[in-house]
Amino acid sequence: MDQKSPNMTIDYVGGDVIVATLVDEKILEESQIQALESSFLPLIEENNPIKLVVDFSQVRFLTSSVLGLLIRLSKKIYESEGILRLCGIQPKIYEIFKITRLDKVFDIYPTRQEALEGLV
Amino acid sequence: MAANPECSPTQLELPGTMEAAERLCGELLQEAVRKGFGEEDLFAIHLALEEAFVNAIQHGNQGDPSKKIHVQYSITPSRFEISIADEGPGFQPDALPDPREPENLYKCSGRGVLLIRSFMDQVQYNSKGNQVRMVKFKSKPGPGKDSNSPPQNVL
């Protein structure tokens, strides 16, 4: 079953893989970060260990506060031996990951299809 | 916003809130579009503005809305220049831990200054560390790279 929260769409794929598609074109306000965190945390707690793919294909702009959110989420996910994959990151945003070397920290795939390989 | 003469910087004093900063940020980006900046330059300017305003409001002024943000900017067809100052005690940007070092990679903050320095062409802090001056020169389109293409939904 697919669900919607204000800032993302959730798809369950193959039974136990969750694909969260971020729907805001720009993620920069603290309220957006808090809303995303409030949506992700219960998902991670209720699906333990989670297999989570975060799809950025609709995101055109973000700031370093989103990187902070991803790191907080990844710590929670890795603590419980879950899997986190990112996909669909636009080239200009990928540059932010490269500059901060977070492209070495996160598993990043070009497409949602490739991110799902080996998970379902 | 009234068009500012090309050579005389515009000075503004903003309330220390992100709402005020977002409004100004939108106006500055619109002005940069009018001056012919392309999509890649606008992305860089937008990112640097967001990071600098967050630093000034949340870290410099420590979220105190009674403290002001002081802005001086000049946008010409060839360069975007802005100074953003807060009323906080300042900080030493060169003393910040490098967020790219392995021991800092999993820290949740501390990347804003690195991104500003990476995306802007000139970045200087005053000696107190409560004012940043940033410059972006308009990129020229090169072969296979159309950084001056009209922006698509950048704002």
Side-chain angles (χ1 to χ4, degrees):
Chain A
M1 188 176 69
D2 296 347
Q3 297 174 5
K4 273 196 170 182
S5 69
N7 299 71
M8 61 191 192
T9 305
I10 303 294
D11 298 317
Y12 290 85
V13 182
D16 65 343
V17 179
I18 295 173
V19 180
T21 304
L22 307 182
V23 298
D24 286 338
E25 206 166 82
K26 288 184 268 185
I27 310 175
L28 44 87
E29 291 173 18
E30 193 53 35
S31 60
Q32 289 173 290
I33 306 292
Q34 285 170 2
L36 283 172
E37 193 150 18
S38 301
S39 301
F40 273 118
L41 289 179
L43 263 186
I44 294 168
E45 279 159 20
E46 289 160 16
N47 299 272
N48 193 0
I50 195 169
K51 294 178 188 174
L52 177 64
V53 174
V54 182
D55 186 341
F56 283 79
S57 56
Q58 296 182 36
V59 180
R60 297 291 179 272
F61 185 83
L62 53 74
T63 63
S64 64
S65 54
V66 178
L67 305 179
L69 167 68
L70 288 172
I71 287 168
R72 290 195 293 280
L73 295 178
S74 71
K75 284 180 179 170
K76 283 240 173 243
I77 291 170
Y78 299 151
E79 270 169 20
S80 54
E81 300 187 347
I83 294 171
L84 172 64
R85 294 181 175 181
L86 314 181
C87 69
I89 298 175
Q90 303 291 312
K92 285 198 287 278
I93 294 177
Y94 189 71
E95 188 73 17
I96 295 176
F97 282 82
K98 268 174 63 180
I99 287 167
T100 54
R101 297 204 184 139
L102 291 179
D103 59 325
K104 310 288 183 208
V105 168
F106 295 113
D107 286 331
I108 301 178
Y109 296 79
T111 65
R112 171 177 171 153
Q113 201 63 36
E114 287 163 278
L116 287 170
E117 276 174 24
L119 288 185
V120 291
Chain B
M1 176 181 293
N4 55 311
E6 282 192 3
C7 294
S8 81
T10 301
Q11 294 191 40
L12 295 172
E13 193 179 88
L14 298 183
T17 64
M18 280 312 292
E19 290 75 16
E22 291 298 338
R23 269 195 302 277
L24 178 62
C25 191
E27 290 170 359
L28 294 174
L29 289 169
Q30 291 280 6
E31 183 63 16
V33 169
R34 283 192 286 272
K35 290 286 194 287
F37 281 80
E39 201 170 338
E40 284 191 20
D41 288 342
L42 291 167
F43 182 92
I45 292 167
H46 191 182
L47 183 63
L49 288 175
E50 293 285 350
E51 300 291 347
F53 279 126
V54 165
N55 284 348
I57 292 166
Q58 293 181 0
H59 301 299
N61 287 351
Q62 297 182 320
D64 181 349
S66 70
K67 290 184 175 171
K68 307 287 187 198
I69 299 295
H70 307 270
V71 177
Q72 182 171 311
Y73 69 89
S74 158
I75 307 170
T76 75
S78 59
R79 62 189 268 152
F80 180 106
E81 176 171 351
I82 187 166
S83 292
I84 298 172
D86 59 60
E87 296 182 348
F91 74 112
Q92 293 308 310
D94 293 332
L96 288 177
D98 186 340
R100 299 166 296 182
E101 291 297 322
E103 66 270 23
N104 300 325
L105 273 178
Y106 279 92
K107 288 188 177 165
C108 296
S109 60
R111 295 178 177 83
V113 172
L114 169 65
L115 290 175
I116 289 171
R117 284 182 161 152
S118 302
F119 279 88
M120 297 300 271
D121 295 317
Q122 291 179 0
V123 179
Q124 293 163 325
Y125 289 85
N126 66 354
S127 56
K128 186 180 174 187
N130 71 335
Q131 181 188 52
V132 61
R133 173 183 165 273
M134 314 184 287
V135 178
K136 185 76 182 172
F137 297 103
K138 186 190 285 179
S139 302
K140 293 180 173 60
K145 179 191 169 194
D146 190 9
S147 62
N148 262 343
S149 60
Q152 296 173 357
N153 204 12
V154 172
L155 306 180

